[in-house]
Amino acid sequence: MKHRFASCRPLRLLADLLALFLAVPFLFCLAGCDSKQETVLRVYNWEDYISEPGDEEGEDEYVDLIAKFEEENPGIRVEYSTFGTNENMYNELKINPGGYDLVCPSDYMIMKMIEENMCEPFTDDFLQNSNYAAYASPYIRELFELNGWTKYSVAYMWGTMGYVYNPETVKAEDLTSWAGIWNDAYSGKSTIKDSVRDSYFLGVAYVYRDELEKLAEEYNVRNLSDENYAEYNAKVTQIMNRTDEETLEKVKDSLIDLKKYLYGFEVDSGKQDMVTGKISINFAWSGDAVYTMDEAEPVYNEDTGKLEADGVYLNYAIPEECSNIWFDGWVMPKGANVELAQKFIDFLSTPENAVANMNYIGYTSAIAGDAVFEEMIDWYDESYVDESAGPSSPNGGRGFDEEGHPLQAYDLNYFFQGTGSYDDYCIYVSEESLSRQIFAQYPTEEVITRSAIMQHFDNATTTAVNEMWEEVKGLPIPVWAYIVIAVIAAICIFVLLSFLYKGRRKEYKPKKGYRILKKGF
C-alpha cells in the first residue's frame, strides 16, 4: 500500500497544482469584484438643473457636484438621469416603480405624489439635524410646514412669475397689472408660456384682477409678520386656483383674445428672443428672468473699462394683483434607498454647494446661510467700501456709492435670518437695480404676501383644464373661412352629382325584355 501511494504522489501533486492554477484567475476576479463593489444612488432631475462642468472655454469655474459627491463618499455612484416635464416624470415612476431613489418634481406634482402615497418619509434625524435643517430658509421651511409637505419633501429651487421687459420700449406702469400684455401697443411683441398650468394662472389673474385688487386694498398686508397675512394669502390662493366652469370659460375666452396680441407661445426660446430684441415682454419664471437680464446686458472689459459688446438693461416686473410662488423639491419615491437619498440632499444643502448650483443654474436655492448671502453681496451690492477710510467715513462701510450717495437697502432678513452670523441681511443697491436681477432672485416680503401656490388638481379638473388649453392653442377659424369652406363643399357636391347624372344619361338602356350583350359574345 505504501509503495502504491508513493508511486501516485507526483501525479496527485501535479493535479493539485493544476487545480490551483485554474482557481487563481477566479479568485482574483472575485477579489476585483469585491473591491469595485458600488452602491448606486439613482437620481431623476430636470434637465440642466445641477452644477456640472462647462463645455465652453471660460466655464471651468462651474463645479461638478455629482463628481464631488462621489469623491466625498467613496463606494457610492450616482446614476443621474433627466426629464422634461412633471408629467413625464410621474408617468416614468408609474411605469418603473422603485426605479429611482430621488426625484425633483414641482409644487403641484409633489402634492399629487403625497396624496397618492408615492413617497417615502424623511427621517426625524434628517429633519432635525441635517444641513437642510440648519441652512434652509426659515420662510421656505415654514411654508412647507404650514402646507404639510415637510415629512415627504424638501425644497430645492424656488421663485416667482412675472414679466421680463425692455424699459426702452415698454412703459413700466403698463406692467403693474397682468392685463398689460392685452394691449395693442405691444402687439406681436410678447410671449407667454406653452404650459397649461402657468398660462392658466396668467388667465385667472387677468380675469379676476379687479377682485384681487380690491382684496389687496381691503387687507393692505405688506409683510409676513402682519396679523392678517395668513387670511389674506389664503383668499388670494383660493382665487388663483379656481377651476369652476364659469372660470374655465372666462379664462379660455381671455387667453384666446390674448393670442391676437402675442408673438407666440414658448418654453425656452423667450429668453433669447428678449436678448435679441425680437420681443419686448416675456411672461417668465424668475430664474429665466435672471438669465435673460444677465445675457442682455452690455459687456465691458474689466481691465480697460471699454465696451466689448452692446446690450440692453432689462427689468423684471411682478404685477400688483398677485404672483405665483413656485418651487421644485426633492422627493423619495416608494422603495427608495432613504439613507443614500438623504445623504445626497444633505450634501446639496451646504451653502457652498448651493452657491455652486445657483452660479450654474441661475435659479434661487432654498438654502440660505452666510456663504449664499456673501455671494449675493458680491453679485449685487453696489456699495463702495474704502478699506483705507475710517468707520466715520460714509464710504468706509456698505450703503453708499463711490460718491457717498446713499443706496437703497434691499431687506433679505425674512429669507436669511437665523441661518448665519449676520445681524442684518440687507443688500444695498441703486434705485434702478430694484427692478432687476436681485428682485427676480429674491422677491420682497410685500410680493410674497400676495403670491399664491398652484394647487394639485384632481383628474377630472386636470382633464377639463387641458381641454380648455387645447381650445386656446387651436387656431380659431374666422367667419370668412367658413364661407370659403362651404362654397368649396357646394362646388364639390355639384360636380359629383353632375358626373353621376351625366353618367346615367349616356348609358344605353335596351328595350324591355332585352339585355345588353358584353363584348365577345
Short mmCIF file of all heavy atoms in Angstrom, two decimals, residues 507-521:
data_model
loop_
_atom_site.label_atom_id
_atom_site.label_comp_id
_atom_site.label_asym_id
_atom_site.label_seq_id
_atom_site.Cartn_x
_atom_site.Cartn_y
_atom_site.Cartn_z
N GLU A 507 -75.60 56.07 -70.55
CA GLU A 507 -75.74 54.61 -70.56
C GLU A 507 -76.94 54.21 -71.46
O GLU A 507 -78.04 54.76 -71.33
CB GLU A 507 -75.95 54.12 -69.13
CG GLU A 507 -76.04 52.60 -69.06
CD GLU A 507 -76.29 52.14 -67.63
OE1 GLU A 507 -76.27 52.98 -66.72
OE2 GLU A 507 -76.54 50.95 -67.44
N TYR A 508 -76.70 53.28 -72.40
CA TYR A 508 -77.76 52.82 -73.30
C TYR A 508 -78.68 51.85 -72.58
O TYR A 508 -78.22 50.88 -71.97
CB TYR A 508 -77.17 52.14 -74.54
CG TYR A 508 -78.19 51.49 -75.42
CD1 TYR A 508 -79.04 52.26 -76.21
CD2 TYR A 508 -78.34 50.11 -75.43
CE1 TYR A 508 -79.99 51.66 -77.03
CE2 TYR A 508 -79.28 49.51 -76.23
CZ TYR A 508 -80.11 50.29 -77.03
OH TYR A 508 -81.07 49.67 -77.83
N LYS A 509 -79.99 52.12 -72.61
CA LYS A 509 -80.96 51.24 -71.96
C LYS A 509 -81.70 50.44 -73.02
O LYS A 509 -82.37 51.02 -73.89
CB LYS A 509 -81.96 52.07 -71.15
CG LYS A 509 -81.32 52.77 -69.95
CD LYS A 509 -82.36 53.52 -69.15
CE LYS A 509 -81.72 54.18 -67.95
NZ LYS A 509 -82.73 54.91 -67.13
N PRO A 510 -81.60 49.12 -73.02
CA PRO A 510 -82.31 48.30 -74.02
C PRO A 510 -83.81 48.29 -73.76
O PRO A 510 -84.27 48.67 -72.68
CB PRO A 510 -81.71 46.91 -73.82
CG PRO A 510 -81.30 46.91 -72.37
CD PRO A 510 -80.87 48.31 -72.07
N LYS A 511 -84.55 47.89 -74.76
CA LYS A 511 -86.00 47.79 -74.61
C LYS A 511 -86.34 46.71 -73.61
O LYS A 511 -85.56 45.81 -73.35
CB LYS A 511 -86.64 47.46 -75.96
CG LYS A 511 -86.48 48.56 -76.98
CD LYS A 511 -87.13 48.17 -78.28
CE LYS A 511 -86.99 49.26 -79.32
NZ LYS A 511 -87.61 48.88 -80.61
N LYS A 512 -87.53 46.84 -73.09
CA LYS A 512 -87.98 45.89 -72.09
C LYS A 512 -88.00 44.48 -72.68
O LYS A 512 -88.49 44.26 -73.79
CB LYS A 512 -89.39 46.28 -71.62
CG LYS A 512 -89.87 45.48 -70.43
CD LYS A 512 -91.21 46.00 -69.94
CE LYS A 512 -91.67 45.21 -68.73
NZ LYS A 512 -92.98 45.68 -68.23
N GLY A 513 -87.43 43.55 -72.00
CA GLY A 513 -87.36 42.17 -72.47
C GLY A 513 -86.07 41.83 -73.13
O GLY A 513 -85.79 40.68 -73.46
N TYR A 514 -85.21 42.85 -73.37
CA TYR A 514 -83.89 42.61 -73.97
C TYR A 514 -82.81 42.90 -72.94
O TYR A 514 -83.03 43.56 -71.92
CB TYR A 514 -83.70 43.50 -75.20
CG TYR A 514 -84.60 43.12 -76.37
CD1 TYR A 514 -85.91 43.61 -76.43
CD2 TYR A 514 -84.11 42.30 -77.39
CE1 TYR A 514 -86.73 43.26 -77.48
CE2 TYR A 514 -84.94 41.95 -78.44
CZ TYR A 514 -86.23 42.44 -78.48
OH TYR A 514 -87.05 42.09 -79.53
N ARG A 515 -81.59 42.44 -73.28
CA ARG A 515 -80.46 42.74 -72.40
C ARG A 515 -79.24 43.07 -73.24
O ARG A 515 -79.16 42.68 -74.40
CB ARG A 515 -80.13 41.57 -71.48
CG ARG A 515 -79.72 40.29 -72.20
CD ARG A 515 -79.59 39.15 -71.21
NE ARG A 515 -79.26 37.93 -71.88
CZ ARG A 515 -78.01 37.52 -72.15
NH1 ARG A 515 -76.99 38.29 -71.81
NH2 ARG A 515 -77.80 36.37 -72.76
N ILE A 516 -78.29 43.81 -72.64
CA ILE A 516 -77.07 44.19 -73.35
C ILE A 516 -76.10 43.04 -73.32
O ILE A 516 -75.81 42.46 -72.25
CB ILE A 516 -76.43 45.43 -72.71
CG1 ILE A 516 -77.41 46.61 -72.79
CG2 ILE A 516 -75.10 45.76 -73.36
CD1 ILE A 516 -76.92 47.85 -72.09
N LEU A 517 -75.58 42.67 -74.49
CA LEU A 517 -74.56 41.62 -74.55
C LEU A 517 -73.18 42.22 -74.37
O LEU A 517 -72.88 43.28 -74.91
CB LEU A 517 -74.64 40.92 -75.92
CG LEU A 517 -75.92 40.11 -76.17
CD1 LEU A 517 -75.88 39.54 -77.59
CD2 LEU A 517 -76.07 38.99 -75.16
N LYS A 518 -72.34 41.56 -73.60
CA LYS A 518 -70.97 42.00 -73.40
C LYS A 518 -70.14 41.68 -74.62
O LYS A 518 -70.46 40.75 -75.37
CB LYS A 518 -70.36 41.33 -72.17
CG LYS A 518 -71.04 41.73 -70.87
CD LYS A 518 -70.37 41.05 -69.69
CE LYS A 518 -71.04 41.47 -68.39
NZ LYS A 518 -70.41 40.80 -67.23
N LYS A 519 -69.05 42.40 -74.80
CA LYS A 519 -68.17 42.17 -75.93
C LYS A 519 -67.64 40.75 -75.88
O LYS A 519 -67.25 40.26 -74.81
CB LYS A 519 -67.01 43.16 -75.94
CG LYS A 519 -67.46 44.59 -76.26
CD LYS A 519 -66.28 45.51 -76.31
CE LYS A 519 -66.72 46.91 -76.66
NZ LYS A 519 -65.58 47.85 -76.71
N GLY A 520 -67.58 40.15 -77.05
CA GLY A 520 -67.06 38.80 -77.12
C GLY A 520 -68.14 37.77 -77.31
O GLY A 520 -67.87 36.60 -77.54
N PHE A 521 -69.36 38.23 -77.16
CA PHE A 521 -70.48 37.31 -77.35
C PHE A 521 -71.11 37.52 -78.72
O PHE A 521 -71.09 38.63 -79.24
CB PHE A 521 -71.54 37.52 -76.28
CG PHE A 521 -71.09 36.98 -74.94
CD1 PHE A 521 -70.36 37.78 -74.08
CD2 PHE A 521 -71.38 35.68 -74.57
CE1 PHE A 521 -69.95 37.30 -72.87
CE2 PHE A 521 -70.97 35.21 -73.35
CZ PHE A 521 -70.24 36.01 -72.49
#
